[in-house]
Amino acid sequence: MSLPSVQEPLLNKISGTDQKQVKIPKKIPESLRRTKAINIPNLDETQIIRHFHHLSQRNFGIDTGIYPLGSCTMKYNPKINEEIASWPQFSCLHPHQHESTIQGTLQMMYELENMLSELTGMDAFTLQPAAGAHGEFLGMLLARTYHQNNNDSKRVDVITPDTSHGTNPASISMAGFNVVEIPSTEEGTVDVSLLKKTVSERTACFMLTNPNTLGIFESDILEIADIVHDAGGLLYYDGANMNAIMGKVRPGDMGFDIVHLNLHKTFSSPHGGGGPGSGPIGVSKRLIPFLPVPRIQKKKDTYGFTYDHPQSVGKIKGFYGNVDVLLRAYTYILMMGANGLQKASEIAVLNANYLKKKILEKPGFDLPFRDLRKHEFVLSAEELRKNKKVRAMDVAKRLLDYGVHPPTMYFPLIVKEALMIEPTETEPKNALDEYAQILHKIASEDAEIVKSAPSNTVVGRVDEVNATRNPVLTWKQIKESEK
Ligand SMILES: Cc1ncc(COP(=O)(O)O)c(C=O)c1O
C-alpha cells in the first residue's frame, strides 16, 4: 500500500533521501548551511529500537551487576527516589518561580538541611554545592574567610595526609592555599607526632576523611582535633565516606568544623558519567555567618530564601543546588529512618570485611596496613606483578570478561598496584562470594590471558590517556570508501 502522496516529501526529508536542497530559514549563515540532505541510514522503527536497545545493553550499571568502585561508591539507587523526583510537582518547577509557589520544595530543602545537621552533628548546612569537590572548594573558601575575618591572613597552609582523595589537594590549591602533605604511619593512619610538628601559625586547616581512603578509621581523631585547634587551625571533614559511620559517630562530635557530604553516594542518588551530584557543606556555629547565600529560612509556617547575611562568601551555584538530587536524598533518608541509616552503615562495613576475608583466603592479593576496615579496603596486586608480570590494570580488565565491574585502581597512591574495593551494603552474600571466586580464578589464570583481557567485550583496551587528553566529541560519518 502506498502512502498518501502529501506525506512523501516530509518522509523523504526525515529519512534523508531527499537530495534536493531543503529550504533553510535565512537566519542560518550561508557558511553553516548544509548543501545537501544528510546521508543517514534509512531504517524502520524496529531496527532503530533494536539498535539503541543493544547500545544501552553495552552499558554496565549498578542495576546490571556488582559495581564495587572504592571511594566512588556505586550503591543501589532505590527506584522510589526516581519516581518521586519525576513527579511534575518537582520536575516541572522553574527556578524563577515565586517562593510562594514552591513552598513544598523549600520545606523539603529546609528539612534536609536539618536532617543532615543532625546526622553529622553540625550546626547548619548549605545545599548549594553541586559535587563533593565543589563542597571541598566551598569549605576552603569558608576557612579562608573565617581566618581573614579574624585578621589572621598569614594562615596559608592546608595540611592533608597522603591517603587523601585526589580532589582534596586540588580544592586546597584552587582556593589559593598551599598543600602540605604528610605521610601516613605504617598502620595507614595519620602520623600524630608528625602532625604536631607540622602545624604552625601558618596552618589554616587540616583536611581529612574518616574512615580514610584505605577504609581505616582514624582512631586518634580526638587528639588530632586538639592538635589542629590548639594551633588555631580548622578541621575539615571529607564526608564522602560518611556511609561507613552513619548513626554510629558524627564528624561534629569528632571535632570537625567543616563537613561535606556526597549525597550522590551515601544518600543513594545515582551518579557517574558526569551526572548531577550534590556536596552539601555543614559547619559549626562559628562558621555559619560565612555560608553562601541565599539561605533557606522558616518564618512561622512559611519558607523562603534570605540574602541577609553580610559576611557570606556569596553565591557558589546557579539557583539553589541540584534540587532533584536533594529530593532523592530526602526520600532516601525518610524511607530508611534513623535505624535504617545506621543499619546501612553496619552492613556496608560487614560486607567490606566479609569480602576482604574471602579474597584473602586464597593467594593472589595482599592487604597492606591495618586489618580491620570500615566500608572499603585496598588490596595490592604487587605479588602478581612480581611473579607473573600481571598488573592491577590487567586484573581489572579481566574482571570485565567475567561480567562484573572492576574496583578503583591505583589509588590511594601509597599502595602498590592498588585495587580499592567497596561492595556497599546493597550487595547480597552470593554476589560477594562470586566476586571473590572470580578474583581467585584470575589470580590463578595464565598470565597472557589476563594481560590481553578483555576478550569478551565489544570494545577491547582503549587508549585511556589519549581519550582523556584528546576527547573526540563530535561524530563524523565515515564514507563507505574510507572504511
Ligand atoms: C573520599 C572522597 N572525597 C571526595 C570526593 C569527590 O566527590 P565528587 O566526585 O562528588 O566531586 C570523592 C569522590 O569520589 C571521594 O571518594
Side-chain angles (χ1 to χ4, degrees), residues 239-259:
N241 293 336
M242 184 75 192
N243 55 320
I245 57 165
M246 271 184 306
K248 293 286 177 186
V249 276
R250 307 190 306 170
D253 300 335
M254 293 184 224
F256 285 94
D257 304 285
I258 311 172
V259 168

Side-chain angles (χ1 to χ4, degrees), residues 47-313:
Q47 288 171 292
I48 289 171
I49 292 291
R50 286 182 186 156
H51 171 70
F52 284 108
H53 195 66
H54 284 152
L55 283 185
S56 77
Q57 286 171 333
R58 285 192 196 173
N59 248 345
F60 190 92
I62 192 69
D63 292 346
T64 326
I66 184 169
Y67 202 140
L69 272 186
S71 215
C72 296
T73 322
M74 292 287 175
K75 72 186 204 179
Y76 177 67
N77 314 124
K79 298 303 166 247
I80 189 171
N81 294 357
E82 302 310 310
E83 191 186 327
I84 290 179
S86 71
W87 283 355
Q89 290 93 324
F90 297 112
S91 63
C92 295
L93 290 183
H94 192 282
H96 281 306
Q97 258 177 254
H98 192 268
E99 283 169 15
S100 62
T101 66
I102 53 165
Q103 284 296 301
T105 301
L106 287 173
Q107 180 178 352
M108 177 277 290
M109 290 165 73
Y110 182 84
E111 288 178 6
L112 183 61
E113 282 187 359
N114 289 340
M115 288 171 180
L116 298 180
S117 298
E118 177 66 30
L119 260 167
T120 54
M122 304 311 288
D123 293 312
F125 255 87
T126 172
L127 304 173
Q128 275 191 42
H134 194 192
E136 291 166 22
F137 178 66
L138 169 61
M140 290 299 99
L141 294 188
L142 291 171
R144 195 176 65 191
T145 314
Y146 170 80
H147 290 305
Q148 277 170 353
N149 197 58
N150 291 340
N151 294 321
D152 205 359
S153 303
K154 64 184 177 306
R155 295 190 179 270
V156 289
D157 293 344
V158 176
I159 308 169
T160 191
D162 57 3
T163 49
S164 73
H165 191 263
T167 51
N168 292 184
S171 305
I172 294 169
S173 138
M174 269 182 73
F177 287 115
N178 303 319
V179 180
V180 180
E181 187 180 280
I182 53 167
S184 302
T185 62
E186 286 185 357
E187 289 264 281
T189 51
V190 172
D191 186 333
V192 175
S193 52
L194 185 58
L195 178 66
K196 267 187 204 150
K197 287 185 207 142
T198 311
V199 289
S200 71
E201 71 283 352
R202 286 169 59 89
T203 305
C205 197
F206 181 50
M207 200 170 191
L208 181 68
T209 180
N210 195 14
N212 64 25
T213 54
L214 294 167
I216 301 173
F217 189 80
E218 299 279 357
S219 36
D220 292 324
I221 187 60
L222 296 179
E223 191 183 348
I224 291 171
D226 285 344
I227 295 169
V228 175
H229 289 150
D230 289 348
L234 295 168
L235 197 57
Y236 180 98
Y237 182 74
D238 173 337
N241 293 336
M242 184 75 192
N243 55 320
I245 57 165
M246 271 184 306
K248 293 286 177 186
V249 276
R250 307 190 306 170
D253 300 335
M254 293 184 224
F256 285 94
D257 304 285
I258 311 172
V259 168
H260 91 252
L261 296 174
N262 277 15
L263 295 189
H264 49 291
K265 296 181 178 182
T266 308
F267 300 97
S268 84
S269 275
H271 69 291
S278 179
I281 280 279
V283 291
S284 56
K285 219 169 236 122
R286 57 184 167 155
L287 289 148
I288 293 178
F290 312 114
L291 282 174
V293 284
R295 308 230 25 236
I296 304 165
Q297 65 177 5
K298 183 180 179 188
K299 273 193 184 159
K300 294 207 175 114
D301 286 333
T302 309
Y303 300 87
F305 291 117
T306 167
Y307 286 81
D308 188 15
H309 291 274
Q311 289 180 295
S312 162
V313 293

